[in-house]
Amino acid sequence: MSFFFTFIANHAATRHASASFGRIGRLGTIQSYLSCAYLPNATCVVGTADGHLYVFEGSSRELAKSIKAHDGFIYSMDAPWHRAEQVRAIVLVTGARDGDIKLWNGALEIISKFDNRGAGPIRSVFTSADSSRILVGSQAAAQLREFRTSDGVPTSVALAGGGAAAGELWGLAPHPVEKCVATASDDGALAVWNIEAPDVRDARRYLTMLAGACRALAYSPDGKLIASCLGGPRQEAMTLDWARKRRDFLDDEATKKVRGDVDTSFKFASAKVDGTLQLIRSGTGALVHEFTDAHEWLREVRFSPDGQTLVAGGTDGRVHVYLSDEHGQFSCTTSMVLSNGAAIYAIDFTVDGRHIQVADEARTLVYGDLRVGVSVTDPSTLQNARWATFSCLFGWATVGVHAVLANPEGGGYETSSIDVHGDNKTVLSLVCLARSNSAKVVAVGDHHGVLRLLQYPATSATESSAERVGVAHVGTLRRLAWTDHDSHLVTVGGLDRNICVWRFVPDSADSIYNYTIGANQTAQDYDDAIDADGGRAMATAIERAFKATVYHFDAKRKSPRARDDKQHNITAWMSVLIPPSNLEDENPALPQISVTLDCAHGQRSDDIRGCAAYNSQGGIVYACGGLGVVYDARTHSQCFHFHHHKGGAPDFDISEKGDIKKSALADICSLAITVDGHFAASGDQGKFPRVRVWDALTGNTISVLPRHLRCGVLLLSFSKNGRHLAAIGGDKDHSYSLYVTRSGGWEDGTRVAAGSGMRSRVHCAAFVGYTSYPLFVGACDTVEFIRLAAAGGIRRQRGVFNEQRCPKMTILCVVRGHPVSTDSGCGVENNGLDTNFDSFALTGTGAGSLYLWIGKEVGEHVPNAHNGPVYAIAKAQKRIMYATAGRDGVVKTWNNRLQTLQSFELANMKIPILIPIAASLCFGGQHETRLLFITRSGEMCELATSFGCAVLLTEAHARRKKQATEAQGLDVNPESSDVYATSGDDGSVRIWSCLLKRCVMRASPDTFGGAAARCCSWAPNGVQLAVGLGGDPMDKARDGTLVMLRIQAGCVLPEILAEIRKSKAPLVDIKWCHDGDFFLVASEDGRVYIHNAHDCTLRTICANAGAPLTSIDMSVDASHFQVATCTNELQFYTIADGTRVLSPAAVRDKKWATITVPIGWSVQGCWKPDADRSVELLAANSMEESARIPSYIQFANNTRYLATPHVTSVHRSPDLKYLAKGCIDGSVAVYNYPTHAPGMSMIKVPGHGSSIAKVRFTSDGKYLIALGRFNRTITQYKIQQLG
């Protein structure tokens, strides 16, 4: 039936149009009309199902003529006359099911006719404006192709498509080495695609037709064979015969080039298709062997990691195992029944190839032992198995995937589907799953075509960090595959038969790409330093702590006791506090003391590199927490640049309403110093960071540059003349921001250009021109040269590698270089060298080689300069000499011809270095004979290159393992006011002197068996030190162990007195009785263990608090103690029997020997200071500055308060006059004690930009020590009484 619509003026909707029927009459029949077009005389031509053209008169709407045009449906028409600039002979073009394209004139006479070269039915046609070319869309080939109208010859290869034409697309296999994938569909089309082809027309390498439907593919580990499983649902396969007759690929030049004269017309031993397993030569598509032992069609196939075993799973639930002999020939050995007859979904091998795991349609996960050919009845034997791949939908590592889909916003856990018999059935929404090769991310596809990325392992909905990429396909997303090195993710849709290639770029800001060793990597291949580069280690540690906090708060809110408590939030403890009978007088005024920053310990070198250099007077400039430090080694003194810590990046916090929110993270993560050593620039890790330029001699701020970057300042670099500064952001695009000073003093620093950078992971940047530009940017397998362009833009040029001599590698470090000299001797650099190139750069690669870039090409290279990645590189300014440092723990110096001069092994130094790998290098001294290096474990040393000896300047705690990144242990000696102790996740305990400003004794990680140490506490005699172990999520063997040390003056190493373990969770706090008779140990298992001090025997275990504990205080009379939990609950217990005191009124008048619990009546005022009476005191050497704190005002109970960050630690001074607090945003403040009510004035001191672990006054109250939790920075403040 045909309709003709006449539209009313200025209306284009059919409801405003009048309709009339087309009258067929006796010239035609009523049938389906599939296409239509108008001729120049207003005549309407309609294409019918029987291949006729019906011509309707313009006014009468009657059928005037019927022309037999094609043999079958006329799917498409095009009338090019209305687009032609002049009158053309071609008026109408038609395409039909018979595969013919016909050209017609105005009288509907055939001008020419040609076919589409075996590509099947024509679904669409479109003619160019000059009528010289026709764009044709073919169904059987699923492709677009362009033909010349003059002779019907294709103008080029297919513009797009060329894959699956009908049925569903299931088969997908990535090549193990090359950037290509193989696909196969129900029409039997097996195609190999180049996913990095610059032109989509060259994407298909070759295509061959199999004998039947194929729904599973797999490449062998060497990439030489493709295993294809034939067969599929019969009801669908019967309708695909027309698609299997396609011959469009026979004249494909790419296919001809690959195949040559190889005969790929498969000759089968039997006519059976379902259950046939074929081995095909991947290079040519030739059949190697076939197996027909399966009775039903196969749904999954997989090679073992060593390529010696091949397994295939069918719809009957059987797993067929094939073994390879010494000649590489496979033969069937056994058929295992693992899934009770349910169709097999996925199969995965262990790394050793011995075991497999199988997921089936019945939603079960079973394991098989291939050596004996039986199922594994006890899955616990494979608890620690390493899986080469992970595609099974079920298992411990994918619990969070199911939890995400079960949420309403996840689309639902189940969905309705129609089986091959037309019956409704309920199936999982989750269809396919694929873990990345690095075992960091898992990709998930569902029945709705939605693609998601989750952190692997996804053990819970909270910890899985689901990121919804988007709707990838129309209908079901059938399979996923990661390419080599996880550069791309390929997805295929079942019904839409589309192949989508997604470029994967891990983003540190989202923290979804957490660094862990992959299942197919060894400890030698994995490089933790590169993964953690750019501040990612701290960002990941904070994200992990944030998730743990959210988990415990969610669990508390969902508990039966709190379910009906609508006011359960972070400050709920305030509402249940009971004041003491006699309130102590409080002083709301500003404390009458001065607090100045005396020294800071710690250099951030575990996840940032190159952040240290000499200034013009020989001082050392480096980053320490939220501070820029200028250190004078001669006098062992420091001056500071106080990096602004407000408006920083989101860390995490918990609001007073109980909501998880973000707060500041502004530790310095990038630092650069000019060549002359006069200026320094630093950038923080904030979401909207600032770049600050300051005096490298005094630390005074010169200017704050305009804000542009996001997600932290990843890299900074000054030009040789010191007038240009480049900054690169940590966002996904690695945006550039370029600054300049006209005067040279940086008071007038302005931004001259900004723009987006590359999405590849950026590792280094430096100006490599004679005076300034170009800017060299090194990334993963690529480099860029950046220059200024007109109108504030930038011009980017890619560097050119030499694939034969200098292949593409990850560039980790760069320094401005000079041409390789041919004469002997070091000499002096000649800037006036006659050369055609304006830039030279020397770079270190991830493979240990050195590349010398001349212009934008690699000119010279030094292979195997280091045994592993080159982390740092430095250049002497007064003579032509380089220094490099690598993962092999060796520091080398090089002459101008890139020949090795000296080699120093850090592990052989007399200095005790925890991780003997240098992360920063810099030449110094009058004759540049000193070499400054900072190790990954935080030791800053100065090496005399002439003698080969080194001296230790400063040290601090470090990140020794991938997830052992924190430092939380801090306690002051009660007998010696000069001594305090710290402990960290690096497994070391350090004893520090306030007067000497250095570490005087250390216990190495070997003392504690390599376990993390989260707390430490001095005994009242000042000799014994109790250390609580645990906290490393990857090493829990010694969690809950308590080690007692003897610390005596004059001893080099501490002595171990006792070691006990009563808890199996990390220990978080320890408190001693005032007479040393017993001590309390708080654990993350929610219990407090009371031990006798003389023999460390267990006296009693207190009742469970219901949540992990954070801190503990004991009463003066040693009868009670109070604890704080991670959910901010305050609880009281008796020491005699460990029972909980349910009524806080019973202990309202207790006097506490220490105040370290951050919640309670006497400390509640520090949670709500008044905005109008708070003073921030910035201690800059001997000068004090006061500044008003910004007012982020909220209203509660009609009171005007300042919303402060979450308080993590407090401590009362020994004279009971002052209270120090540390917050989650890194702020440290001092109040008058007690602080009952809001409105207390405070002195706020700088030093940190991330969460504070502990604050402690020394035993004489003359110093305040603050320990950063994530930056591991130790700041020491000097306290003096005013007046």
Side-chain angles (χ1 to χ4, degrees):
M1 185 176 293
S2 59
F3 286 93
F4 294 86
F5 292 91
T6 302
F7 290 91
I8 302 174
N10 300 325
H11 292 280
T14 54
R15 66 176 181 269
H16 299 296
S18 59
S20 60
F21 290 98
R23 293 187 288 272
I24 302 300
R26 292 178 294 177
L27 297 179
T29 59
I30 298 177
Q31 56 183 306
S32 297
Y33 304 132
L34 305 176
S35 56
C36 66
Y38 272 92
L39 301 182
N41 58 3
T43 300
C44 181
V45 181
V46 177
T48 65
D50 60 2
H52 283 77
L53 293 179
Y54 283 3
V55 182
F56 290 89
E57 293 292 344
S59 58
S60 63
R61 309 293 195 259
E62 292 183 359
L63 179 59
K65 187 188 301 184
S66 177
I67 302 173
K68 180 62 176 179
H70 293 272
D71 295 330
F73 300 113
I74 301 178
Y75 287 127
S76 179
M77 285 186 183
D78 181 41
W81 60 270
H82 62 83
R83 294 191 302 272
E85 298 176 357
Q86 56 185 352
V87 179
R88 302 286 183 181
I90 302 175
V91 175
L92 183 68
V93 180
T94 59
R97 184 186 178 92
D98 56 8
D100 291 338
I101 301 114
K102 294 186 178 181
L103 311 181
W104 309 77
N105 60 17
L108 292 182
E109 297 172 346
I110 296 179
I111 299 176
S112 62
K113 166 191 171 183
F114 52 89
D115 61 27
N116 66 347
R117 305 302 176 95
I122 306 299
R123 302 295 291 188
S124 62
V125 292
F126 190 84
T127 312
S128 62
D130 58 0
S131 298
S132 62
R133 292 160 296 145
I134 298 177
L135 187 64
V136 178
S138 303
Q139 181 175 2
Q143 70 178 15
L144 290 176
R145 205 164 191 177
E146 198 175 53
F147 295 85
R148 289 200 300 261
T149 58
S150 59
D151 53 8
V153 176
T155 59
S156 65
V157 297
L159 300 179
E168 293 192 31
L169 175 61
W170 282 41
L172 174 65
H175 196 284
V177 179
E178 301 177 5
K179 300 295 185 183
C180 64
V181 295
T183 60
S185 57
D186 287 353
D187 62 356
L190 171 61
V192 178
W193 308 85
N194 180 8
I195 62 175
E196 288 191 336
D199 193 334
V200 69
R201 293 174 294 182
D202 302 327
R204 193 180 75 183
R205 290 190 174 182
Y206 68 88
L207 181 141
T208 188
M209 294 300 295
L210 304 177
C214 178
R215 292 204 165 186
L217 291 174
Y219 268 100
S220 61
D222 57 6
K224 296 180 179 180
L225 295 177
I226 299 177
S228 62
C229 299
L230 301 188
R234 285 197 182 93
Q235 287 74 8
E236 296 181 13
M238 291 175 61
T239 63
L240 302 176
D241 293 337
W242 63 272
R244 293 177 183 149
K245 297 177 182 178
R246 56 188 289 189
R247 293 293 181 267
D248 62 294
F249 58 92
L250 295 179
D251 60 348
D252 186 31
E253 295 298 332
T255 301
K256 290 180 180 179
K257 182 178 179 180
V258 171
R259 289 180 177 175
D261 298 330
V262 178
D263 183 13
T264 58
S265 59
F266 300 132
K267 300 176 178 61
F268 297 92
S270 65
K272 181 177 179 294
V273 174
D274 282 1
T276 300
L277 174 62
Q278 294 179 341
L279 294 180
I280 302 171
R281 191 74 61 190
S282 63
T284 61
L287 177 64
V288 176
H289 194 74
E290 70 174 10
F291 305 94
T292 59
D293 49 290
H295 299 292
E296 296 189 25
W297 63 280
L298 302 174
R299 191 163 180 170
E300 178 67 306
V301 64
R302 185 84 65 178
F303 280 93
S304 63
D306 58 4
Q308 299 300 310
T309 308
L310 174 66
V311 297
T315 53
D316 57 357
R318 291 181 175 271
V319 176
H320 304 272
V321 183
Y322 306 86
L323 295 180
S324 174
D325 57 17
E326 58 184 2
H327 302 291
Q329 301 295 325
F330 284 89
S331 60
C332 183
T333 59
T334 184
S335 177
M336 304 168 58
V337 180
L338 298 178
S339 61
N340 298 324
I344 291 176
Y345 267 170
I347 302 175
D348 293 308
F349 272 93
T350 54
V351 174
D352 58 8
R354 175 175 178 176
H355 297 90
I356 59 172
Q357 63 177 358
V358 177
D360 60 21
E361 199 172 19
R363 306 183 187 182
T364 59
L365 180 67
V366 291
Y367 302 91
D369 190 335
L370 298 181
R371 292 188 180 179
V372 295
V374 298
S375 62
V376 179
T377 57
D378 185 10
S380 63
T381 59
L382 297 176
Q383 180 179 2
N384 298 320
R386 295 174 60 204
W387 298 97
T389 60
F390 204 104
S391 59
C392 290
L393 307 182
F394 314 103
W396 168 83
T398 61
V399 173
V401 176
H402 295 265
V404 170
L405 292 177
N407 294 331
E409 59 272 14
Y413 188 64
E414 295 179 334
T415 187
S416 297
S417 178
I418 299 177
D419 60 13
V420 295
H421 304 289
D423 299 329
N424 289 327
K425 64 176 182 178
T426 301
V427 296
L428 279 176
S429 292
L430 179 61
V431 176
C432 54
L433 179 148
R435 187 197 65 188
S436 63
N437 297 315
S438 60
K440 301 174 183 178
V441 179
V442 61
V444 177
D446 63 16
H447 258 285
H448 309 290
V450 178
L451 174 65
R452 291 180 175 87
L453 292 181
L454 295 90
Q455 181 179 331
Y456 182 88
T459 56
S460 67
T462 303
E463 298 180 359
S464 55
S465 300
E467 178 180 345
R468 188 178 186 273
V469 178
V471 179
H473 296 272
V474 178
T476 305
L477 196 159
R478 280 299 173 190
R479 287 192 190 272
L480 303 154
W482 294 88
T483 60
D484 187 36
H485 298 301
D486 299 335
S487 60
H488 298 81
L489 175 66
V490 183
T491 63
V492 295
L495 296 176
D496 62 8
R497 300 186 292 276
N498 283 339
I499 305 170
C500 294
V501 180
W502 309 77
R503 185 179 298 277
F504 179 69
V505 180
D507 189 314
S508 64
D510 297 335
S511 301
I512 192 172
Y513 205 75
N514 193 10
Y515 49 96
T516 54
I517 295 181
N520 58 346
Q521 292 177 299
T522 64
Q524 290 75 23
D525 297 330
Y526 176 74
D527 195 336
D528 176 55
I530 296 178
D531 256 353
D533 204 11
R536 290 171 174 85
M538 180 182 290
T540 305
I542 292 173
E543 188 73 15
R544 188 165 54 247
F546 167 66
K547 291 176 183 177
T549 303
V550 172
Y551 171 80
H552 291 300
F553 268 92
D554 286 344
K556 196 67 180 178
R557 289 173 181 144
K558 294 177 182 178
S559 63
R561 187 180 65 179
R563 191 166 297 164
D564 298 330
D565 185 7
K566 297 182 180 179
Q567 307 223 341
H568 179 76
N569 51 53
I570 192 67
T571 54
W573 54 271
M574 290 187 181
S575 61
V576 299
L577 291 179
I578 297 179
S581 302
N582 297 318
L583 289 177
E584 299 179 73
D585 295 333
E586 60 181 4
N587 182 7
L590 195 70
Q592 296 301 302
I593 57 175
S594 66
V595 185
T596 58
L597 182 59
D598 195 29
C599 68
H601 303 287
Q603 305 82 39
R604 188 173 178 184
S605 57
D606 62 318
D607 59 354
I608 61 175
R609 295 177 291 114
C611 287
Y614 288 97
N615 61 19
S616 60
Q617 294 183 359
I620 301 172
V621 183
Y622 62 94
C624 178
L627 302 168
V629 181
V630 182
Y631 173 71
D632 190 343
R634 296 167 296 182
T635 60
H636 192 60
S637 61
Q638 297 173 329
C639 57
F640 307 97
H641 167 71
F642 301 102
H643 203 78
H644 202 277
H645 62 278
K646 293 190 174 59
D651 178 357
F652 67 92
D653 196 2
I654 305 168
S655 68
E656 298 191 357
K657 296 183 179 180
D659 301 325
I660 304 300
K661 66 177 185 179
K662 305 282 185 173
S663 65
L665 165 63
D667 281 314
I668 295 178
C669 63
S670 56
L671 183 72
I673 298 91
T674 55
V675 174
D676 58 12
H678 289 140
F679 304 102
S682 57
D684 60 57
Q685 206 167 347
K687 184 176 181 181
F688 300 103
R690 302 301 292 265
V691 176
R692 298 167 65 91
V693 180
W694 40 283
D695 193 327
L697 300 178
T698 64
N700 295 331
T701 300
I702 296 176
S703 64
V704 181
L705 301 181
R707 177 181 292 165
H708 171 71
L709 302 179
R710 293 170 290 124
C711 302
V713 181
L714 189 64
L715 294 167
L716 287 170
S717 178
F718 277 105
S719 62
K720 182 182 177 181
N721 59 15
R723 291 177 175 267
H724 297 270
L725 175 64
I728 299 179
D731 57 305
K732 293 181 179 181
D733 295 325
H734 294 104
S735 302
Y736 299 120
S737 188
L738 306 178
Y739 304 93
V740 68
T741 173
R742 307 297 180 185
S743 64
W746 284 103
E747 298 89 348
D748 58 343
T750 57
R751 187 176 68 240
V752 294
S756 297
M758 65 182 84
R759 287 232 167 185
S760 299
R761 182 112 167 242
V762 175
H763 293 283
C764 59
F767 285 93
V768 295
Y770 288 140
T771 57
S772 57
Y773 290 95
L775 173 70
F776 181 98
V777 180
C780 182
D781 297 336
T782 185
V783 300
E784 279 190 350
F785 292 87
I786 308 299
R787 300 176 187 270
L788 292 176
I794 60 175
R795 181 162 55 93
R796 302 164 53 189
Q797 289 180 307
R798 285 291 179 97
V800 180
F801 290 87
N802 187 324
E803 293 300 334
Q804 295 181 351
R805 296 176 58 250
C806 308
K808 287 184 177 181
M809 293 183 183
T810 300
I811 306 299
L812 297 179
C813 50
V814 59
V815 69
R816 189 181 63 86
H818 48 76
V820 176
S821 176
T822 57
D823 57 358
S824 60
C826 291
V828 180
E829 181 178 356
N830 181 14
N831 287 339
L833 185 65
D834 185 12
T835 178
N836 296 324
F837 301 99
D838 62 347
S839 64
F840 296 89
L842 183 65
T843 60
T845 69
S849 302
L850 298 180
Y851 284 1
L852 178 64
W853 295 78
I854 303 175
K856 63 177 183 178
E857 298 182 0
V858 180
E860 300 290 338
H861 80 292
V862 180
N864 303 320
H866 286 271
N867 185 17
V870 182
Y871 290 150
I873 187 169
K875 175 190 173 184
Q877 301 299 326
K878 299 179 181 179
R879 55 178 180 163
I880 302 176
M881 179 183 289
Y882 301 103
T884 59
R887 189 175 69 174
D888 53 5
V890 177
V891 175
K892 295 183 179 181
T893 59
W894 309 77
N895 63 10
N896 61 332
R897 291 179 292 172
L898 296 182
Q899 296 174 337
T900 305
L901 296 177
Q902 296 169 298
S903 181
F904 308 98
E905 293 189 12
L906 302 186
N908 297 332
M909 298 281 181
K910 296 182 180 180
I911 302 172
I913 299 177
L914 187 60
I915 303 177
I917 298 175
S920 299
L921 290 175
C922 182
F923 281 100
Q926 183 177 1
H927 302 289
E928 293 184 319
T929 57
R930 290 182 296 171
L931 187 62
L932 176 72
F933 67 89
I934 301 179
T935 65
R936 285 185 54 196
S937 52
E939 292 89 359
M940 179 187 291
C941 307
E942 200 171 50
L943 173 66
T945 57
S946 302
F947 306 100
C949 58
V951 60
L952 178 65
L953 301 178
T954 61
E955 61 180 302
H957 292 280
R959 182 181 66 91
R960 191 169 62 92
K961 300 180 182 179
K962 293 180 294 300
Q963 296 191 21
T965 60
E966 303 178 16
Q968 296 194 35
L970 171 64
D971 196 31
V972 294
N973 193 304
E975 291 295 320
S976 176
S977 59
D978 179 50
V979 178
Y980 63 94
T982 60
S983 63
D985 286 358
D986 59 357
S988 67
V989 172
R990 285 176 165 85
I991 310 300
W992 305 82
S993 169
C994 294
L995 296 178
L996 299 178
K997 301 179 184 178
R998 66 173 70 248
C999 177
V1000 295
M1001 184 185 297
R1002 66 185 60 82
S1004 67
D1006 296 336
T1007 306
F1008 310 105
R1014 286 285 172 95
C1015 62
C1016 59
S1017 179
W1018 291 94
N1021 58 14
V1023 176
Q1024 292 175 276
L1025 180 67
V1027 180
L1029 305 185
D1032 183 0
M1034 304 300 292
D1035 184 7
K1036 300 183 178 181
R1038 293 174 62 81
D1039 281 10
T1041 302
L1042 179 72
V1043 179
M1044 194 68 67
L1045 303 177
R1046 183 193 299 274
I1047 309 294
Q1048 288 185 334
C1051 295
V1052 179
L1053 296 175
E1055 176 188 354
I1056 299 179
L1057 299 178
E1059 183 174 321
I1060 55 176
R1061 186 186 185 191
K1062 298 301 179 181
S1063 172
K1064 293 185 178 181
L1067 304 182
V1068 295
D1069 200 6
I1070 303 171
K1071 288 293 188 298
W1072 291 77
C1073 176
H1074 62 88
D1075 58 2
D1077 182 49
F1078 63 90
F1079 57 89
L1080 312 177
V1081 180
S1083 172
E1084 282 191 2
D1085 61 6
R1087 295 179 174 88
V1088 175
Y1089 300 81
I1090 305 177
H1091 294 266
N1092 292 314
H1094 64 281
D1095 57 0
C1096 294
T1097 56
L1098 183 65
R1099 177 184 293 186
T1100 185
I1101 301 177
C1102 299
N1104 196 325
L1109 305 180
T1110 59
S1111 54
I1112 183 173
D1113 283 323
M1114 191 184 307
S1115 62
V1116 174
D1117 58 4
S1119 62
H1120 293 79
F1121 65 88
Q1122 61 178 355
V1123 297
T1125 68
C1126 67
T1127 56
N1128 271 31
E1129 286 186 290
L1130 181 62
Q1131 299 181 10
F1132 303 93
Y1133 294 84
T1134 60
I1135 293 179
D1137 54 4
T1139 58
R1140 181 178 176 182
V1141 178
L1142 299 180
S1143 174
V1147 293
R1148 62 188 301 182
D1149 294 323
K1150 284 290 179 182
K1151 302 295 182 181
W1152 302 103
T1154 58
I1155 296 294
T1156 61
V1157 173
I1159 53 180
W1161 178 263
S1162 61
V1163 300
Q1164 60 178 320
C1166 68
W1167 288 77
K1168 289 183 178 181
D1170 186 79
D1172 295 329
R1173 301 182 62 183
S1174 299
V1175 177
E1176 179 182 11
L1177 184 62
L1178 297 179
N1181 300 331
S1182 60
M1183 183 177 65
E1184 300 176 4
E1185 294 180 305
S1186 297
R1188 185 70 62 186
I1189 294 181
S1191 302
Y1192 299 97
I1193 302 302
Q1194 66 178 14
F1195 293 90
N1197 300 326
N1198 297 323
T1199 307
R1200 189 169 180 263
Y1201 292 132
L1202 174 71
T1204 59
H1206 178 61
V1207 179
T1208 57
S1209 177
V1210 297
H1211 191 235
R1212 185 183 60 189
S1213 63
D1215 57 5
L1216 311 184
K1217 292 183 178 180
Y1218 308 108
L1219 180 76
K1221 76 165 183 178
C1223 297
I1224 205 169
D1225 67 343
S1227 59
V1228 178
V1230 179
Y1231 297 83
N1232 287 320
Y1233 181 84
T1235 60
H1236 298 161
M1240 298 285 291
S1241 298
M1242 64 177 176
I1243 299 175
K1244 194 171 183 180
V1245 292
H1248 298 266
S1250 57
S1251 181
I1252 300 296
K1254 285 190 173 59
V1255 291
R1256 292 291 185 269
F1257 288 98
T1258 56
S1259 58
D1260 59 359
K1262 293 183 178 180
Y1263 292 96
L1264 173 66
I1265 313 299
L1267 174 64
R1269 177 180 176 181
F1270 301 108
N1271 59 24
R1272 302 174 298 277
T1273 297
I1274 304 169
T1275 50
Q1276 175 180 313
Y1277 305 93
K1278 190 173 184 179
I1279 299 176
Q1280 292 179 331
Q1281 298 289 334
L1282 297 179

